[in-house]
Amino acid sequence: MAEQTPHSDRAKGGVTEIAQLNDWLREHITAPGNNRVVMTIGIAELIGDVSLFRGWRNRAQILREVRDFDAFDNAINPHGERDMGKFEFAGVPCYWKIDYYNLDLTAGSEDPSDPFQTVRVLTIMRTDER
């Protein structure tokens, strides 16, 4: 059996359920439950000082950009899962992307539409970090 990677098996779950779960994660970006929200070093550099209580306005603005994103089209959302978006912060183009993993984060989820066997990892990055 080949090792699974995120998005390797979309057929098991319905796209509508996957999109709803992805929207839920973005709506609850500051309290994602069992899911994860991570930012790359490039985003940390945009935020500035990331020590306790510093850079919080920039961090909050970036999280709002991801939470409120609604410009889904066929180019950014070809599978209908609402799992990726593009925005600009401080003049820098950025992406956010949701990937689906199994519960111990060692492989892709077998069924991304099932929140009981899927951990969503939302990554926020600069476009030049791909």
Side-chain angles (χ1 to χ4, degrees):
M1 180 180 204
E3 181 177 327
Q4 286 191 334
T5 57
H7 293 289
S8 66
D9 189 358
R10 287 186 173 92
K12 286 192 177 186
V15 171
T16 300
E17 291 85 2
I18 293 170
Q20 289 172 343
L21 290 164
N22 290 343
D23 289 346
W24 183 93
L25 172 55
R26 289 187 310 107
E27 290 167 12
H28 298 90
I29 197 164
T30 59
N34 292 330
N35 300 302
R36 309 284 190 278
V37 176
V38 297
M39 297 180 186
T40 62
I41 191 71
I43 294 295
E45 289 170 356
L46 286 177
I47 290 172
D49 188 348
V50 293
S51 59
L52 189 61
F53 299 120
R54 296 193 177 139
W56 66 270
R57 285 189 177 121
N58 289 340
R59 184 184 322 218
Q61 180 57 38
I62 288 171
L63 293 176
R64 276 192 300 274
E65 292 284 345
V66 174
R67 181 196 66 203
D68 297 342
F69 184 86
D70 67 355
F72 295 105
D73 59 25
N74 286 337
I76 201 91
N77 187 41
H79 302 289
E81 297 175 358
R82 296 193 299 265
D83 62 348
M84 184 174 185
K86 187 174 183 180
F87 65 98
E88 193 169 290
F89 181 77
V92 177
C94 301
Y95 283 126
W96 58 267
K97 175 76 175 97
I98 299 172
D99 292 302
Y100 317 120
Y101 292 91
N102 61 12
L103 296 179
D104 60 5
L105 301 171
T106 59
S109 173
E110 290 187 25
D111 183 359
S113 70
D114 183 350
F116 298 104
Q117 63 176 303
T118 303
V119 174
R120 286 172 157 65
V121 178
L122 189 158
T123 304
I124 305 169
M125 68 195 96
R126 294 166 42 148
T127 60
D128 61 0
E129 292 182 295
R130 289 195 264 170

